[in-house]
Amino acid sequence: MKIVILRLGHRIQRDQRITTHVGLSARALGAEGMLLDSDDSGIEKSLSEASEHWGGTFYVKRITNWKNEIKKWKEAGGKVMHLTMYGINLPDVINEINPEKDIMIVVGAGKVPPEIYGLADWNVAVGNQPHSEVAALSILLDRLQTASGEDPLKRKFQGGEIEIIPKVAGKEVRNK
Amino acid sequence: MKIVILRLGHRIQRDQRITTHVGLSARALGAEGMLLDSDDSGIEKSLSEASEHWGGTFYVKRITNWKNEIKKWKEAGGKVMHLTMYGINLPDVINEINPEKDIMIVVGAGKVPPEIYGLADWNVAVGNQPHSEVAALSILLDRLQTASGEDPLKRKFQGGEIEIIPKVAGKEVRNK
């Protein structure tokens, strides 16, 4: 299952930090990359620095026509899931998801264009309570992958400069 | 298992949005409340508004002496887990956690005081990669509770004014 994030409605300045958290979490939890519907180059920079240091091939691609990206994705056989607190609760929909299909996860900031509800194959809530798109995305990525027998927390990142040696207390980082 | 968050190192202004996401995620995913080591009253306000509208009894309490809070917690028999990317990876430690014991989860912003590593019963990484404290906390809360047979996404919130009717597409909210 290839996973790509589509970040919609990102506002330069206001959303920089949250979108960076969305990107870093997506990378750490096994997504391949993030399409960013914004001209904000800062996110791309933070995420390439993360991959440079810590490995892997996660990418951020700035896009200008998100509808076209969804269209191309679907034409290539991929599925689209839109995260929204108003959708069907994840536990009630996760069994419908075919782990063989590639999936695009749409993560909105602030208001999203209403058309997205019709374009998505699923509108999914990670619990129907207000919380955080970072939390929703992370739990979704965790549950999707553990359901297919992979633990995203055990993922190895090829390349990069440094890695953590897990410790009972304190910090240890070694050069790769 | 009673779960309380201890948010350390919160910087007024800079961390307001992320700490709000930490609090909202903690509430949605079953924590009882959050101790905030800061005098920032904005977080408390956002979280009480969430509970007023959406139910439940989540609280934010501003504290001035976090070490004392940990001491009191331990004296009452509770355990303390500190989230840090440098710690032992969650899948390698989760079986040690006794679901009968109350747990305080320490979530740092920026730099945390080094003493926390020694005061915690566990220093735990949610994957040893840089990502987001919101992601780390959410996955932890999800895995801790599902391991004891409870799905935090199915949690019901008593009281409040409104609730979402989950929908395949679009939005529906009803008065409670």
Side-chain angles (χ1 to χ4, degrees), chain A residues 129, chain B residues 2-4 23 26-28 30-34 44 47-61 155-160 176:
Chain A
Q129 287 285 326
Chain B
K2 187 170 90 173
I3 301 169
V4 167
R27 173 189 168 275
E32 175 185 290
M34 177 165 74
E44 212 171 312
L47 269 294
S48 348
E49 280 169 9
S51 294
E52 209 175 287
H53 293 321
W54 300 95
T57 55
F58 189 87
Y59 59 84
V60 174
K61 188 180 148 198
R155 169 174 287 269
K156 298 280 169 217
F157 289 80
Q158 299 304 313
K176 269 178 145 183

PDB file of all heavy atoms in Angstrom, chain A residues 129, chain B residues 2-4 23 26-28 30-34 44 47-61 155-160 176:
ATOM      1  N   GLN A 129     -15.034  13.617  17.382  1.00  0.00           N
ATOM      2  CA  GLN A 129     -14.826  14.729  18.318  1.00  0.00           C
ATOM      3  C   GLN A 129     -13.817  15.689  17.696  1.00  0.00           C
ATOM      4  O   GLN A 129     -12.980  15.269  16.898  1.00  0.00           O
ATOM      5  CB  GLN A 129     -14.244  14.183  19.629  1.00  0.00           C
ATOM      6  CG  GLN A 129     -15.233  13.416  20.489  1.00  0.00           C
ATOM      7  CD  GLN A 129     -16.224  14.315  21.206  1.00  0.00           C
ATOM      8  OE1 GLN A 129     -15.893  15.427  21.603  1.00  0.00           O
ATOM      9  NE2 GLN A 129     -17.455  13.852  21.364  1.00  0.00           N
TER      10      GLN A 129
ATOM     11  N   LYS B   2      -6.501   5.561  34.793  1.00  0.00           N
ATOM     12  CA  LYS B   2      -6.740   6.999  34.691  1.00  0.00           C
ATOM     13  C   LYS B   2      -5.517   7.601  33.992  1.00  0.00           C
ATOM     14  O   LYS B   2      -4.390   7.245  34.334  1.00  0.00           O
ATOM     15  CB  LYS B   2      -6.889   7.558  36.110  1.00  0.00           C
ATOM     16  CG  LYS B   2      -7.296   8.990  36.161  1.00  0.00           C
ATOM     17  CD  LYS B   2      -7.662   9.410  37.592  1.00  0.00           C
ATOM     18  CE  LYS B   2      -6.430   9.927  38.329  1.00  0.00           C
ATOM     19  NZ  LYS B   2      -6.779  10.498  39.655  1.00  0.00           N
ATOM     20  N   ILE B   3      -5.740   8.480  33.035  1.00  0.00           N
ATOM     21  CA  ILE B   3      -4.622   9.055  32.283  1.00  0.00           C
ATOM     22  C   ILE B   3      -4.632  10.580  32.421  1.00  0.00           C
ATOM     23  O   ILE B   3      -5.649  11.226  32.148  1.00  0.00           O
ATOM     24  CB  ILE B   3      -4.726   8.688  30.786  1.00  0.00           C
ATOM     25  CG1 ILE B   3      -4.728   7.163  30.598  1.00  0.00           C
ATOM     26  CG2 ILE B   3      -3.589   9.326  29.985  1.00  0.00           C
ATOM     27  CD1 ILE B   3      -5.080   6.703  29.186  1.00  0.00           C
ATOM     28  N   VAL B   4      -3.511  11.136  32.840  1.00  0.00           N
ATOM     29  CA  VAL B   4      -3.366  12.589  32.927  1.00  0.00           C
ATOM     30  C   VAL B   4      -2.127  13.005  32.134  1.00  0.00           C
ATOM     31  O   VAL B   4      -1.120  12.299  32.134  1.00  0.00           O
ATOM     32  CB  VAL B   4      -3.260  13.036  34.410  1.00  0.00           C
ATOM     33  CG1 VAL B   4      -2.785  14.472  34.534  1.00  0.00           C
ATOM     34  CG2 VAL B   4      -4.611  12.889  35.107  1.00  0.00           C
ATOM     35  N   GLY B  23      -3.925  19.098  23.929  1.00  0.00           N
ATOM     36  CA  GLY B  23      -5.051  19.026  24.863  1.00  0.00           C
ATOM     37  C   GLY B  23      -6.305  18.441  24.222  1.00  0.00           C
ATOM     38  O   GLY B  23      -6.952  17.549  24.789  1.00  0.00           O
ATOM     39  N   ALA B  26      -5.778  14.758  23.663  1.00  0.00           N
ATOM     40  CA  ALA B  26      -5.835  14.055  24.950  1.00  0.00           C
ATOM     41  C   ALA B  26      -7.286  13.868  25.375  1.00  0.00           C
ATOM     42  O   ALA B  26      -7.700  12.781  25.778  1.00  0.00           O
ATOM     43  CB  ALA B  26      -5.062  14.844  26.001  1.00  0.00           C
ATOM     44  N   ARG B  27      -8.070  14.936  25.267  1.00  0.00           N
ATOM     45  CA  ARG B  27      -9.491  14.858  25.633  1.00  0.00           C
ATOM     46  C   ARG B  27     -10.224  13.838  24.768  1.00  0.00           C
ATOM     47  O   ARG B  27     -10.907  12.953  25.277  1.00  0.00           O
ATOM     48  CB  ARG B  27     -10.142  16.245  25.454  1.00  0.00           C
ATOM     49  CG  ARG B  27     -11.635  16.236  25.655  1.00  0.00           C
ATOM     50  CD  ARG B  27     -12.337  17.541  25.285  1.00  0.00           C
ATOM     51  NE  ARG B  27     -13.769  17.298  25.248  1.00  0.00           N
ATOM     52  CZ  ARG B  27     -14.400  16.824  24.190  1.00  0.00           C
ATOM     53  NH1 ARG B  27     -13.760  16.571  23.061  1.00  0.00           N
ATOM     54  NH2 ARG B  27     -15.706  16.605  24.256  1.00  0.00           N
ATOM     55  N   ALA B  28     -10.073  13.966  23.439  1.00  0.00           N
ATOM     56  CA  ALA B  28     -10.820  13.094  22.521  1.00  0.00           C
ATOM     57  C   ALA B  28     -10.444  11.634  22.727  1.00  0.00           C
ATOM     58  O   ALA B  28     -11.253  10.742  22.514  1.00  0.00           O
ATOM     59  CB  ALA B  28     -10.558  13.513  21.077  1.00  0.00           C
ATOM     60  N   GLY B  30      -9.421  10.140  25.541  1.00  0.00           N
ATOM     61  CA  GLY B  30      -9.694   9.501  26.825  1.00  0.00           C
ATOM     62  C   GLY B  30      -8.868   9.928  28.015  1.00  0.00           C
ATOM     63  O   GLY B  30      -9.006   9.325  29.083  1.00  0.00           O
ATOM     64  N   ALA B  31      -8.001  10.931  27.892  1.00  0.00           N
ATOM     65  CA  ALA B  31      -7.320  11.409  29.092  1.00  0.00           C
ATOM     66  C   ALA B  31      -8.328  12.180  29.955  1.00  0.00           C
ATOM     67  O   ALA B  31      -9.322  12.712  29.465  1.00  0.00           O
ATOM     68  CB  ALA B  31      -6.137  12.288  28.733  1.00  0.00           C
ATOM     69  N   GLU B  32      -8.007  12.233  31.240  1.00  0.00           N
ATOM     70  CA  GLU B  32      -8.899  12.884  32.187  1.00  0.00           C
ATOM     71  C   GLU B  32      -8.667  14.397  32.216  1.00  0.00           C
ATOM     72  O   GLU B  32      -9.584  15.191  32.417  1.00  0.00           O
ATOM     73  CB  GLU B  32      -8.575  12.289  33.555  1.00  0.00           C
ATOM     74  CG  GLU B  32      -9.297  12.893  34.681  1.00  0.00           C
ATOM     75  CD  GLU B  32      -8.815  12.303  36.017  1.00  0.00           C
ATOM     76  OE1 GLU B  32      -9.099  11.127  36.280  1.00  0.00           O
ATOM     77  OE2 GLU B  32      -8.163  13.040  36.784  1.00  0.00           O
ATOM     78  N   GLY B  33      -7.401  14.814  32.039  1.00  0.00           N
ATOM     79  CA  GLY B  33      -7.090  16.234  32.087  1.00  0.00           C
ATOM     80  C   GLY B  33      -5.633  16.475  31.753  1.00  0.00           C
ATOM     81  O   GLY B  33      -4.882  15.529  31.486  1.00  0.00           O
ATOM     82  N   MET B  34      -5.257  17.747  31.764  1.00  0.00           N
ATOM     83  CA  MET B  34      -3.885  18.116  31.438  1.00  0.00           C
ATOM     84  C   MET B  34      -3.364  19.137  32.446  1.00  0.00           C
ATOM     85  O   MET B  34      -4.008  20.166  32.683  1.00  0.00           O
ATOM     86  CB  MET B  34      -3.823  18.711  30.031  1.00  0.00           C
ATOM     87  CG  MET B  34      -2.433  19.207  29.614  1.00  0.00           C
ATOM     88  SD  MET B  34      -2.264  19.517  27.820  1.00  0.00           S
ATOM     89  CE  MET B  34      -3.186  21.043  27.642  1.00  0.00           C
ATOM     90  N   GLU B  44      -6.536  26.724  28.601  1.00  0.00           N
ATOM     91  CA  GLU B  44      -7.631  26.353  29.495  1.00  0.00           C
ATOM     92  C   GLU B  44      -8.969  26.767  28.876  1.00  0.00           C
ATOM     93  O   GLU B  44      -9.924  26.001  28.884  1.00  0.00           O
ATOM     94  CB  GLU B  44      -7.427  27.145  30.791  1.00  0.00           C
ATOM     95  CG  GLU B  44      -7.894  26.459  32.028  1.00  0.00           C
ATOM     96  CD  GLU B  44      -7.427  27.254  33.254  1.00  0.00           C
ATOM     97  OE1 GLU B  44      -6.232  27.625  33.322  1.00  0.00           O
ATOM     98  OE2 GLU B  44      -8.277  27.523  34.117  1.00  0.00           O
ATOM     99  N   LEU B  47      -9.973  24.596  25.857  1.00  0.00           N
ATOM    100  CA  LEU B  47     -10.379  23.256  26.249  1.00  0.00           C
ATOM    101  C   LEU B  47     -11.706  23.253  27.005  1.00  0.00           C
ATOM    102  O   LEU B  47     -12.509  22.333  26.842  1.00  0.00           O
ATOM    103  CB  LEU B  47      -9.264  22.560  27.045  1.00  0.00           C
ATOM    104  CG  LEU B  47      -8.267  21.743  26.230  1.00  0.00           C
ATOM    105  CD1 LEU B  47      -8.928  20.541  25.586  1.00  0.00           C
ATOM    106  CD2 LEU B  47      -7.507  22.531  25.209  1.00  0.00           C
ATOM    107  N   SER B  48     -11.948  24.305  27.831  1.00  0.00           N
ATOM    108  CA  SER B  48     -13.258  24.302  28.511  1.00  0.00           C
ATOM    109  C   SER B  48     -14.351  24.540  27.496  1.00  0.00           C
ATOM    110  O   SER B  48     -15.453  23.986  27.637  1.00  0.00           O
ATOM    111  CB  SER B  48     -13.411  25.350  29.615  1.00  0.00           C
ATOM    112  OG  SER B  48     -12.244  25.938  29.967  1.00  0.00           O
ATOM    113  N   GLU B  49     -14.071  25.350  26.490  1.00  0.00           N
ATOM    114  CA  GLU B  49     -15.089  25.547  25.453  1.00  0.00           C
ATOM    115  C   GLU B  49     -15.405  24.226  24.750  1.00  0.00           C
ATOM    116  O   GLU B  49     -16.557  23.916  24.472  1.00  0.00           O
ATOM    117  CB  GLU B  49     -14.613  26.585  24.436  1.00  0.00           C
ATOM    118  CG  GLU B  49     -14.812  28.004  24.953  1.00  0.00           C
ATOM    119  CD  GLU B  49     -14.112  29.064  24.093  1.00  0.00           C
ATOM    120  OE1 GLU B  49     -13.606  28.729  22.998  1.00  0.00           O
ATOM    121  OE2 GLU B  49     -14.057  30.234  24.548  1.00  0.00           O
ATOM    122  N   ALA B  50     -14.348  23.450  24.472  1.00  0.00           N
ATOM    123  CA  ALA B  50     -14.573  22.154  23.806  1.00  0.00           C
ATOM    124  C   ALA B  50     -15.483  21.272  24.658  1.00  0.00           C
ATOM    125  O   ALA B  50     -16.439  20.671  24.155  1.00  0.00           O
ATOM    126  CB  ALA B  50     -13.243  21.453  23.534  1.00  0.00           C
ATOM    127  N   SER B  51     -15.207  21.231  25.967  1.00  0.00           N
ATOM    128  CA  SER B  51     -16.023  20.360  26.826  1.00  0.00           C
ATOM    129  C   SER B  51     -17.446  20.884  26.956  1.00  0.00           C
ATOM    130  O   SER B  51     -18.409  20.107  27.001  1.00  0.00           O
ATOM    131  CB  SER B  51     -15.384  20.229  28.210  1.00  0.00           C
ATOM    132  OG  SER B  51     -14.159  19.557  28.098  1.00  0.00           O
ATOM    133  N   GLU B  52     -17.565  22.212  27.018  1.00  0.00           N
ATOM    134  CA  GLU B  52     -18.901  22.812  27.099  1.00  0.00           C
ATOM    135  C   GLU B  52     -19.751  22.410  25.884  1.00  0.00           C
ATOM    136  O   GLU B  52     -20.895  22.005  26.016  1.00  0.00           O
ATOM    137  CB  GLU B  52     -18.704  24.324  27.091  1.00  0.00           C
ATOM    138  CG  GLU B  52     -19.736  25.142  27.808  1.00  0.00           C
ATOM    139  CD  GLU B  52     -19.286  26.608  27.779  1.00  0.00           C
ATOM    140  OE1 GLU B  52     -18.315  26.968  28.518  1.00  0.00           O
ATOM    141  OE2 GLU B  52     -19.869  27.381  26.987  1.00  0.00           O
ATOM    142  N   HIS B  53     -19.154  22.528  24.699  1.00  0.00           N
ATOM    143  CA  HIS B  53     -19.901  22.201  23.478  1.00  0.00           C
ATOM    144  C   HIS B  53     -20.089  20.695  23.294  1.00  0.00           C
ATOM    145  O   HIS B  53     -21.146  20.229  22.943  1.00  0.00           O
ATOM    146  CB  HIS B  53     -19.162  22.710  22.237  1.00  0.00           C
ATOM    147  CG  HIS B  53     -19.102  24.202  22.154  1.00  0.00           C
ATOM    148  ND1 HIS B  53     -20.150  25.009  22.506  1.00  0.00           N
ATOM    149  CD2 HIS B  53     -18.114  25.036  21.736  1.00  0.00           C
ATOM    150  CE1 HIS B  53     -19.815  26.278  22.317  1.00  0.00           C
ATOM    151  NE2 HIS B  53     -18.577  26.326  21.870  1.00  0.00           N
ATOM    152  N   TRP B  54     -18.987  19.962  23.492  1.00  0.00           N
ATOM    153  CA  TRP B  54     -18.960  18.556  23.040  1.00  0.00           C
ATOM    154  C   TRP B  54     -19.024  17.551  24.183  1.00  0.00           C
ATOM    155  O   TRP B  54     -18.979  16.347  23.950  1.00  0.00           O
ATOM    156  CB  TRP B  54     -17.686  18.313  22.214  1.00  0.00           C
ATOM    157  CG  TRP B  54     -17.577  19.168  20.995  1.00  0.00           C
ATOM    158  CD1 TRP B  54     -16.913  20.357  20.872  1.00  0.00           C
ATOM    159  CD2 TRP B  54     -18.171  18.913  19.710  1.00  0.00           C
ATOM    160  NE1 TRP B  54     -17.051  20.853  19.597  1.00  0.00           N
ATOM    161  CE2 TRP B  54     -17.816  19.988  18.861  1.00  0.00           C
ATOM    162  CE3 TRP B  54     -18.964  17.884  19.188  1.00  0.00           C
ATOM    163  CZ2 TRP B  54     -18.223  20.056  17.528  1.00  0.00           C
ATOM    164  CZ3 TRP B  54     -19.377  17.947  17.864  1.00  0.00           C
ATOM    165  CH2 TRP B  54     -19.015  19.024  17.051  1.00  0.00           C
ATOM    166  N   GLY B  55     -19.102  18.033  25.420  1.00  0.00           N
ATOM    167  CA  GLY B  55     -19.295  17.115  26.547  1.00  0.00           C
ATOM    168  C   GLY B  55     -18.023  16.657  27.234  1.00  0.00           C
ATOM    169  O   GLY B  55     -16.927  17.029  26.854  1.00  0.00           O
ATOM    170  N   GLY B  56     -18.238  15.841  28.265  1.00  0.00           N
ATOM    171  CA  GLY B  56     -17.115  15.302  29.021  1.00  0.00           C
ATOM    172  C   GLY B  56     -16.622  16.262  30.086  1.00  0.00           C
ATOM    173  O   GLY B  56     -17.142  17.381  30.230  1.00  0.00           O
ATOM    174  N   THR B  57     -15.626  15.818  30.845  1.00  0.00           N
ATOM    175  CA  THR B  57     -15.178  16.583  32.010  1.00  0.00           C
ATOM    176  C   THR B  57     -13.671  16.861  31.961  1.00  0.00           C
ATOM    177  O   THR B  57     -13.032  17.050  33.003  1.00  0.00           O
ATOM    178  CB  THR B  57     -15.495  15.799  33.308  1.00  0.00           C
ATOM    179  OG1 THR B  57     -14.879  14.489  33.188  1.00  0.00           O
ATOM    180  CG2 THR B  57     -16.985  15.616  33.510  1.00  0.00           C
ATOM    181  N   PHE B  58     -13.091  16.874  30.770  1.00  0.00           N
ATOM    182  CA  PHE B  58     -11.656  17.161  30.625  1.00  0.00           C
ATOM    183  C   PHE B  58     -11.330  18.528  31.245  1.00  0.00           C
ATOM    184  O   PHE B  58     -12.067  19.484  31.082  1.00  0.00           O
ATOM    185  CB  PHE B  58     -11.284  17.159  29.143  1.00  0.00           C
ATOM    186  CG  PHE B  58      -9.802  17.218  28.901  1.00  0.00           C
ATOM    187  CD1 PHE B  58      -9.048  16.051  28.872  1.00  0.00           C
ATOM    188  CD2 PHE B  58      -9.154  18.435  28.702  1.00  0.00           C
ATOM    189  CE1 PHE B  58      -7.667  16.092  28.655  1.00  0.00           C
ATOM    190  CE2 PHE B  58      -7.774  18.487  28.489  1.00  0.00           C
ATOM    191  CZ  PHE B  58      -7.040  17.314  28.467  1.00  0.00           C
ATOM    192  N   TYR B  59     -10.206  18.570  31.938  1.00  0.00           N
ATOM    193  CA  TYR B  59      -9.797  19.836  32.553  1.00  0.00           C
ATOM    194  C   TYR B  59      -8.359  20.192  32.154  1.00  0.00           C
ATOM    195  O   TYR B  59      -7.565  19.322  31.809  1.00  0.00           O
ATOM    196  CB  TYR B  59      -9.887  19.749  34.086  1.00  0.00           C
ATOM    197  CG  TYR B  59      -9.025  18.643  34.667  1.00  0.00           C
ATOM    198  CD1 TYR B  59      -7.667  18.856  34.931  1.00  0.00           C
ATOM    199  CD2 TYR B  59      -9.550  17.383  34.932  1.00  0.00           C
ATOM    200  CE1 TYR B  59      -6.879  17.834  35.442  1.00  0.00           C
ATOM    201  CE2 TYR B  59      -8.764  16.358  35.442  1.00  0.00           C
ATOM    202  CZ  TYR B  59      -7.418  16.581  35.693  1.00  0.00           C
ATOM    203  OH  TYR B  59      -6.624  15.585  36.182  1.00  0.00           O
ATOM    204  N   VAL B  60      -8.052  21.487  32.228  1.00  0.00           N
ATOM    205  CA  VAL B  60      -6.664  21.956  32.135  1.00  0.00           C
ATOM    206  C   VAL B  60      -6.362  22.668  33.436  1.00  0.00           C
ATOM    207  O   VAL B  60      -7.146  23.522  33.878  1.00  0.00           O
ATOM    208  CB  VAL B  60      -6.467  22.937  30.966  1.00  0.00           C
ATOM    209  CG1 VAL B  60      -5.065  23.527  30.982  1.00  0.00           C
ATOM    210  CG2 VAL B  60      -6.721  22.236  29.636  1.00  0.00           C
ATOM    211  N   LYS B  61      -5.252  22.298  34.066  1.00  0.00           N
ATOM    212  CA  LYS B  61      -4.897  22.956  35.319  1.00  0.00           C
ATOM    213  C   LYS B  61      -3.507  23.550  35.150  1.00  0.00           C
ATOM    214  O   LYS B  61      -2.555  22.833  34.816  1.00  0.00           O
ATOM    215  CB  LYS B  61      -4.892  21.888  36.435  1.00  0.00           C
ATOM    216  CG  LYS B  61      -4.734  22.435  37.830  1.00  0.00           C
ATOM    217  CD  LYS B  61      -4.744  21.268  38.851  1.00  0.00           C
ATOM    218  CE  LYS B  61      -3.869  21.611  40.044  1.00  0.00           C
ATOM    219  NZ  LYS B  61      -3.512  20.427  40.822  1.00  0.00           N
ATOM    220  N   ARG B 155     -15.394   6.185  22.340  1.00  0.00           N
ATOM    221  CA  ARG B 155     -15.742   6.817  23.605  1.00  0.00           C
ATOM    222  C   ARG B 155     -16.944   7.775  23.469  1.00  0.00           C
ATOM    223  O   ARG B 155     -17.046   8.513  22.494  1.00  0.00           O
ATOM    224  CB  ARG B 155     -14.504   7.591  24.069  1.00  0.00           C
ATOM    225  CG  ARG B 155     -14.676   8.535  25.224  1.00  0.00           C
ATOM    226  CD  ARG B 155     -13.320   9.065  25.606  1.00  0.00           C
ATOM    227  NE  ARG B 155     -12.572   8.006  26.268  1.00  0.00           N
ATOM    228  CZ  ARG B 155     -12.581   7.807  27.589  1.00  0.00           C
ATOM    229  NH1 ARG B 155     -13.270   8.620  28.371  1.00  0.00           N
ATOM    230  NH2 ARG B 155     -11.890   6.827  28.124  1.00  0.00           N
ATOM    231  N   LYS B 156     -17.836   7.721  24.468  1.00  0.00           N
ATOM    232  CA  LYS B 156     -18.980   8.648  24.493  1.00  0.00           C
ATOM    233  C   LYS B 156     -18.709   9.754  25.498  1.00  0.00           C
ATOM    234  O   LYS B 156     -18.151   9.491  26.560  1.00  0.00           O
ATOM    235  CB  LYS B 156     -20.266   7.924  24.919  1.00  0.00           C
ATOM    236  CG  LYS B 156     -20.692   6.820  23.978  1.00  0.00           C
ATOM    237  CD  LYS B 156     -21.405   7.382  22.760  1.00  0.00           C
ATOM    238  CE  LYS B 156     -21.597   6.319  21.683  1.00  0.00           C
ATOM    239  NZ  LYS B 156     -21.442   6.835  20.328  1.00  0.00           N
ATOM    240  N   PHE B 157     -19.101  10.965  25.190  1.00  0.00           N
ATOM    241  CA  PHE B 157     -18.926  12.101  26.091  1.00  0.00           C
ATOM    242  C   PHE B 157     -20.288  12.524  26.636  1.00  0.00           C
ATOM    243  O   PHE B 157     -21.178  12.902  25.881  1.00  0.00           O
ATOM    244  CB  PHE B 157     -18.248  13.261  25.349  1.00  0.00           C
ATOM    245  CG  PHE B 157     -16.804  12.966  25.053  1.00  0.00           C
ATOM    246  CD1 PHE B 157     -16.456  12.157  23.980  1.00  0.00           C
ATOM    247  CD2 PHE B 157     -15.792  13.464  25.861  1.00  0.00           C
ATOM    248  CE1 PHE B 157     -15.121  11.845  23.718  1.00  0.00           C
ATOM    249  CE2 PHE B 157     -14.457  13.169  25.612  1.00  0.00           C
ATOM    250  CZ  PHE B 157     -14.124  12.358  24.527  1.00  0.00           C
ATOM    251  N   GLN B 158     -20.421  12.430  27.947  1.00  0.00           N
ATOM    252  CA  GLN B 158     -21.676  12.814  28.586  1.00  0.00           C
ATOM    253  C   GLN B 158     -21.825  14.333  28.585  1.00  0.00           C
ATOM    254  O   GLN B 158     -20.834  15.051  28.713  1.00  0.00           O
ATOM    255  CB  GLN B 158     -21.700  12.330  30.043  1.00  0.00           C
ATOM    256  CG  GLN B 158     -21.607  10.815  30.198  1.00  0.00           C
ATOM    257  CD  GLN B 158     -22.699  10.081  29.442  1.00  0.00           C
ATOM    258  OE1 GLN B 158     -23.874  10.446  29.528  1.00  0.00           O
ATOM    259  NE2 GLN B 158     -22.326   9.058  28.670  1.00  0.00           N
ATOM    260  N   GLY B 159     -23.063  14.778  28.488  1.00  0.00           N
ATOM    261  CA  GLY B 159     -23.325  16.221  28.571  1.00  0.00           C
ATOM    262  C   GLY B 159     -22.870  16.939  27.315  1.00  0.00           C
ATOM    263  O   GLY B 159     -22.672  16.324  26.268  1.00  0.00           O
ATOM    264  N   GLY B 160     -22.714  18.263  27.433  1.00  0.00           N
ATOM    265  CA  GLY B 160     -22.379  19.054  26.261  1.00  0.00           C
ATOM    266  C   GLY B 160     -23.631  19.444  25.492  1.00  0.00           C
ATOM    267  O   GLY B 160     -24.746  19.057  25.865  1.00  0.00           O
ATOM    268  N   LYS B 176     -27.873  18.096  21.617  1.00  0.00           N
ATOM    269  CA  LYS B 176     -27.993  16.946  22.513  1.00  0.00           C
ATOM    270  C   LYS B 176     -29.223  17.092  23.399  1.00  0.00           C
ATOM    271  O   LYS B 176     -29.629  18.212  23.708  1.00  0.00           O
ATOM    272  CB  LYS B 176     -26.753  16.856  23.376  1.00  0.00           C
ATOM    273  CG  LYS B 176     -25.694  15.975  22.746  1.00  0.00           C
ATOM    274  CD  LYS B 176     -24.443  15.960  23.614  1.00  0.00           C
ATOM    275  CE  LYS B 176     -23.750  14.599  23.589  1.00  0.00           C
ATOM    276  NZ  LYS B 176     -22.579  14.603  24.489  1.00  0.00           N
TER     277      LYS B 176
END
